Amino acid sequence: MSLEDDLLKQRLARIREIEALGYRPYGRRFDFSHTIPEILGGYGAKTAEELTPEVRVSVAGRLMTLRHMGKAGFAHLQQNGERLQIYVKKDAVGERDFQLFKLVDIGDFIGVDGYLFRTRTGELSIHVEKLEFLSKTLLSMPEKWHGLEDVETRYRQRYLDLVANPDVRKVFVTRARIISSLRRQLEAHQFIEVETPMMQPLYGGAAARPFITHHNTLDIDLYLRIAPELYLKRLVVGGLDRVYEINRNFRNEGLSTHHNPEFTMLEFYQAYTDYQGLIELSQELLAQAARDAVGTTEIEYEGHKLNFSRLERYSMREAVVRFWQGDGRPTMEDVANPEWLLRNSDKSTAGEALTDIFERHVEEKLIQPTVVYDYPVETSPLSKNKPDDPAFVERFEIYAAGMEIGNAYTELNDPQEQRRRFEMQLSMRERGDEEAHQMDEDYVRALAYALPPTGGEGIGIDRLTMILTGCRSIRDVILFPLLRPEGPIDLVRQLRELDGV
RNA sequence: GGGCCGGUAGCUCAAUGGUAGAGCAUCGCCCUUUUAAGGCGGUGGUUGCGGGUUCGAGUCCCGCCCGGCUCACCA
């Protein structure tokens, strides 16, 4: 018999003992008077004298440590990531509750009533007078001082990671703060939140390979969206002048420390502005999100101090010249010269070559939060041309810590030009570019009803969260990152065999 | 997909090619202010899976599975 079987058997037997004492092994509602963080916040600094007269509390949580000492014992309850010690003495709780205390395991949920006191060693604790059993754990918790280290188990069983590693919990609390800060700010700017299709008959708004699914009743294939962009701009056509959406995009591409197949994107569109207006708004949004999430705009990330109070700004050509490392550093004349560009890239047009060179030589060097603007038209099929240079578009991306975290442009609102851009993309597709944009005639039709001058932007929530929480891998900011399915777990068989034993 | 690294008890980790171990957890006994509680005594292993080499494999070789990092692709 394996240990696991043995443990399960012991725990299941214990459930019957708990029932025999008259408690529910899987309890019901428990009306606590305080959360554990509230008690630590409110009384954590109080001396023993200040805890008289008695402060009565009623608290629930998961047992994380257990120290039996004959006719008394100590334990720590954990709730919302924080721990509070309880002291259970036979004289104080009575025979029946003390029998229950002898049956609890690390990992069980219990509720206690009692009063606050300080132990001989000074730790704020609850002197328990009544115990309630709330829920039984059948499996043993991770080890008490190393926590859960195995990366694979941490991702597959995130609930254990969250219980055992308080810092992991903090990352996801910070993530929630970032999102709520962005929502609050956009609402304050009169943006309204909308939801657009995740399942789309045509995919667009980015360059990526899609996931394909099928609707049975309509008998049609649909794509999981790679971006919400084209739907959001249809809404601006319809008079929703300021819209945003925070939701998942799906891209059927590689996994890495910076890529998960489903990831969260904020996209927002503002009528009557352009990319310059969006740079100002971006700077404001990011600085305030940093302040709201971590209390400062000075962010330590992998040994660098990032300053989110402002965005550095370079045109793509300037960025290539300025951040080029090593030999062959070009001049501004070089990066404007198609011959030089095509010599330094295997791409077939000057614009694609410039983007290619930028991505290979510059992107990872952009550590400080930086805006790179003025992109070649070839790689930007939905952006508006620069009026003085139609080979470039009014587009920028935001980089920080060597990662792209945002992408924005003045939206192309001329349907005739949009049709030409789509046709240019189709010819790229015919030359083998699988990620070139599809023709979306309904979108052209929407533009034909007139899209006002508009600026639009996307911000990658996962990557922004990585930077603001100091995480090196995107998997550390996504609760359940995509992994290959694991092998047999074999718990159901064990439970079945032990059922009623 | 390529390269590198890893997978040993529930958890965290050891183990020159020579009897698979420790701490925590778990079980029994003792203990009414402990806190990595303590004391005494136990249980627990298909060393990821499958082959091979060898008198003998956790260890060496081959294949596969899972994961991490990295390169490529991408945001």
Side-chain angles (χ1 to χ4, degrees):
Chain A
M1 168 165 303
S2 75
L3 175 63
E4 194 93 348
D5 279 334
D6 213 26
L7 183 82
L8 268 178
K9 205 177 224 176
Q10 287 161 8
R11 295 285 167 93
L12 291 166
R14 213 158 260 196
I15 282 177
R16 288 192 294 275
E17 294 181 68
I18 289 166
E19 285 170 334
L21 282 173
Y23 300 90
R24 288 193 181 96
Y26 297 100
R28 308 246 171 197
R29 166 174 175 160
F30 184 84
D31 291 317
F32 56 84
S33 65
H34 303 71
T35 65
I36 285 173
E38 281 168 358
I39 289 179
L40 296 174
Y43 302 98
K46 304 279 192 201
T47 64
E49 293 70 37
E50 290 169 325
L51 294 173
T52 53
E54 285 176 1
V55 179
R56 302 207 58 84
V57 297
S58 174
V59 167
R62 190 192 282 272
L63 272 165
M64 297 301 290
T65 67
L66 198 48
R67 295 178 291 283
H68 286 291
M69 295 183 311
K71 297 183 180 60
F74 289 90
H76 279 98
L77 283 186
Q78 177 168 296
Q79 185 189 28
N80 296 349
E82 297 190 46
R83 293 183 183 189
L84 177 63
Q85 182 170 257
I86 62 171
Y87 176 54
V88 180
K89 188 166 68 165
K90 188 173 181 180
D91 296 347
V93 298
E95 179 70 35
R96 179 168 161 270
D97 275 4
F98 198 72
Q99 288 303 314
L100 176 68
F101 183 63
K102 290 204 280 193
L103 292 174
V104 299
D105 290 299
I106 290 174
D108 290 350
F109 284 94
I110 64 169
V112 301
D113 291 352
Y115 58 88
L116 295 177
F117 77 114
R118 284 206 179 266
T119 63
R120 195 174 287 165
T121 54
E123 180 167 346
L124 182 68
S125 307
I126 299 177
H127 194 286
V128 176
E129 293 179 326
K130 185 166 177 295
L131 275 166
E132 192 59 62
F133 197 83
L134 300 178
S135 193
K136 187 75 198 159
T137 176
L138 297 181
L139 299 172
S140 54
M141 300 300 288
E143 200 240 18
K144 67 182 174 191
W145 63 79
H146 294 95
L148 182 63
E149 304 268 354
D150 184 76
V151 177
E152 188 174 348
T153 308
R154 287 185 43 228
Y155 294 155
R156 289 195 194 280
Q157 295 178 262
R158 184 68 90 179
Y159 46 92
L160 282 184
D161 193 25
L162 288 165
V163 171
N165 300 322
D167 287 348
V168 171
R169 181 193 175 90
K170 284 187 194 135
V171 165
F172 291 101
V173 169
T174 302
R175 180 181 170 116
R177 285 205 193 111
I178 291 166
I179 292 171
S180 91
S181 170
L182 292 169
R183 274 210 170 91
R184 193 162 50 242
Q185 293 186 71
L186 288 165
E187 300 284 336
H189 281 90
Q190 279 78 53
F191 284 82
I192 66 165
E193 183 168 12
V194 297
E195 293 168 274
T196 62
M198 297 261 182
M199 298 191 294
Q200 305 177 346
L202 289 173
Y203 60 96
R209 296 207 300 272
F211 289 91
I212 302 172
T213 186
H214 187 79
H215 188 273
N216 289 340
T217 304
L218 296 181
D219 192 25
I220 51 169
D221 282 341
L222 292 165
Y223 301 100
L224 299 190
R225 74 179 188 194
I226 60 174
E229 169 157 352
L230 300 182
Y231 285 93
L232 290 170
K233 282 188 284 193
R234 284 173 171 99
L235 296 178
V236 181
V237 169
L240 300 182
D241 281 2
R242 297 186 180 196
V243 293
Y244 75 99
E245 179 163 9
I246 299 177
N247 225 317
R248 230 67 65 76
N249 290 344
F250 306 87
R251 299 190 185 174
N252 203 341
E253 294 178 343
L255 291 77
S256 80
T257 49
H258 298 82
H259 301 85
N260 194 63
E262 53 177 310
F263 64 102
T264 300
M265 183 89 107
L266 160 66
E267 283 204 15
F268 54 96
Y269 291 81
Q270 178 177 338
Y272 311 114
T273 191
D274 65 4
Y275 76 142
Q276 293 294 343
L278 290 177
I279 291 176
E280 299 303 321
L281 179 55
S282 302
Q283 183 163 284
E284 190 183 323
L285 288 175
L286 291 174
Q288 189 59 41
R291 281 190 290 267
D292 288 340
V294 296
T296 173
T297 53
E298 300 284 319
I299 308 296
E300 293 278 351
Y301 189 76
E302 294 194 340
H304 298 287
K305 183 164 259 177
L306 309 188
N307 178 5
F308 270 90
S309 65
R310 53 180 293 277
L311 295 171
E312 295 185 14
R313 302 174 193 197
Y314 305 99
S315 72
M316 181 179 277
R317 287 166 169 174
E318 286 169 351
V320 169
V321 172
R322 184 184 174 97
F323 291 95
W324 184 283
Q325 306 263 310
D327 298 336
R329 178 172 178 166
T331 62
M332 284 304 291
E333 287 70 36
D334 288 334
V335 294
N337 177 355
E339 286 174 23
W340 184 90
L341 292 168
L342 292 168
R343 256 203 321 277
N344 283 278
S345 168
D346 57 9
K347 299 293 182 186
S348 54
T349 69
E352 289 173 283
L354 176 60
T355 307
D356 176 51
I357 291 164
F358 169 78
E359 286 171 356
R360 282 188 292 117
H361 288 88
V362 175
E363 190 170 322
E364 66 186 25
K365 310 293 192 308
L366 298 173
I367 303 302
Q368 285 302 321
T370 301
V371 158
V372 175
Y373 59 91
D374 291 355
Y375 277 60
V377 65
E378 292 94 324
T379 54
S380 312
L382 302 164
S383 313
K384 187 168 228 161
N385 304 81
K386 285 179 71 70
D388 54 346
D389 187 355
F392 283 80
V393 293
E394 296 189 348
R395 173 180 177 187
F396 68 89
E397 293 195 342
I398 305 168
Y399 291 87
M403 284 188 288
E404 182 192 335
I405 59 172
N407 177 25
Y409 32 86
T410 309
E411 302 301 335
L412 175 56
N413 62 342
D414 174 347
Q416 194 63 286
E417 173 66 9
Q418 184 65 70
R419 189 218 74 211
R420 286 191 289 266
R421 298 284 191 86
F422 277 148
E423 285 171 349
M424 183 160 82
Q425 292 287 310
L426 287 179
S427 71
M428 289 166 67
R429 181 170 280 264
E430 280 160 17
R431 291 204 305 271
D433 184 349
E434 282 185 66
E435 297 186 345
H437 215 288
Q438 294 177 295
M439 170 66 73
D440 187 337
E441 191 167 3
D442 177 70
Y443 177 67
V444 174
R445 177 170 62 181
L447 293 187
Y449 282 103
L451 172 69
T454 298
E457 176 162 346
I459 292 178
I461 297 297
D462 311 281
R463 290 179 176 182
L464 178 60
T465 302
M466 286 170 67
I467 293 169
L468 295 183
T469 57
C471 289
R472 285 199 65 229
S473 171
I474 199 168
R475 295 184 198 95
D476 292 324
V477 300
I478 292 175
L479 282 164
F480 298 99
L482 186 68
L483 300 177
R484 285 187 195 278
E486 66 180 319
I489 298 172
D490 199 38
L491 178 61
V492 165
R493 179 196 61 81
Q494 294 176 50
L495 286 173
R496 189 185 306 120
E497 287 179 6
L498 293 170
D499 194 7
V501 170

